[in-house]
Amino acid sequence: MAFTLPQLPYSYDALEPHFDARTMEIHHSKHHAGYTAKFNAALESASLDSSDLTGLMTLMDMNNAALRNNGGGYYNHCLFWENLSPQATEMSADLASCIERCFGSVDNMKEAFSKAAATRFGSGWAWLCRKDDGSLEVCSTANQDNPLMPGIGCGGRPILALDVWEHAYYLHYQNRRPDYINAFWSIVNWDVVSKRWAG
Ligand code: MN
């Protein structure tokens, strides 16, 4: 059994004008497809099976570059597509009060997340994670690493992901990463984020 490229839960042009169709198509059908194929090849080389994606992340051999980069690339993009939506959504009351407890307000959380995304040097990701003690924390990670991997970022369980690789925004936003981050807040799927937080 191998991992497969998940279908997007919306069409490539559904997130316009925030995320453009051409970027979405290349990002999904080329970049994510590439990570998927190379992750499967790395799993085969390491004689690992693909029954537990989360377990593969938490037990990641950080010295296995092919597995780390492509496994992270596979997992991170799966999370990312799911936490976007063309429809307006609302976060659950429980998640909202948890965010308010940890950050003071939802706006403060968005500001901290946006800052983590904007200041990540080079390629990487921004995350909102639920820690084991139930609290929330924002961090960013380099390349295709994620906070499930040993010793990476703030730890905890990622509930919101943002890709800040140039391939995620350059066609439409060029060097204006802050504009891309701003646009992201218009298309976050808070239903999915709320379910991840509760789950
Ligand atoms: Mn990407």
Side-chain angles (χ1 to χ4, degrees):
M1 193 181 99
F3 287 108
T4 55
L5 179 67
Q7 283 213 316
L8 294 185
Y10 37 74
S11 60
Y12 287 132
D13 63 0
L15 305 177
E16 296 261 11
H18 310 290
F19 288 7
D20 67 287
R22 182 91 176 110
T23 298
M24 287 298 294
E25 180 173 2
I26 296 170
H27 200 174
H28 176 258
S29 71
K30 305 292 184 200
H31 291 278
H32 198 186
Y35 291 122
T36 307
K38 289 178 187 164
F39 182 31
N40 285 323
L43 286 167
E44 204 173 311
S45 297
S47 301
L48 291 166
D49 75 47
S50 56
S51 53
D52 177 11
L53 181 56
T54 304
L56 285 166
M57 296 301 118
T58 57
L59 298 173
M60 179 62 68
D61 172 3
M62 301 303 275
N63 295 312
N64 185 332
L67 195 66
R68 173 180 179 176
N69 292 333
N70 295 295
Y74 179 76
Y75 172 88
N76 297 350
H77 288 87
C78 289
L79 233 70
F80 182 46
W81 308 135
E82 281 175 11
N83 68 219
L84 302 174
S85 168
Q87 280 94 39
T89 55
E90 245 180 86
M91 70 176 70
S92 69
D94 285 349
L95 174 58
S97 43
C98 185
I99 288 174
E100 280 155 21
R101 272 199 309 279
C102 288
F103 296 92
S105 70
V106 172
D107 281 348
N108 285 357
M109 182 280 289
K110 286 183 178 179
E111 197 180 314
F113 186 102
S114 294
K115 189 179 172 197
T119 57
R120 164 50 52 188
F121 184 75
S123 298
W125 291 74
W127 307 95
L128 177 64
C129 293
R130 180 176 175 151
K131 313 291 293 285
D132 288 342
D133 64 5
S135 66
L136 289 165
E137 196 168 336
V138 156
C139 70
S140 79
T141 57
N143 303 314
Q144 294 295 353
D145 288 350
N146 64 56
L148 288 177
M149 294 175 178
I152 296 296
C154 58
R157 187 156 51 79
I159 64 171
L160 178 64
L162 174 61
D163 190 340
V164 295
W165 282 58
E166 283 189 346
H167 69 224
Y169 62 86
Y170 208 84
L171 280 179
H172 188 69
Y173 291 100
Q174 293 82 49
N175 59 318
R176 304 188 308 279
R177 190 193 283 187
D179 291 353
Y180 161 75
I181 296 166
N182 230 14
F184 166 71
W185 294 116
S186 300
I187 48 172
V188 170
N189 190 330
W190 290 111
D191 291 336
V192 164
V193 178
S194 299
K195 281 186 187 119
R196 284 180 187 158
W197 176 80

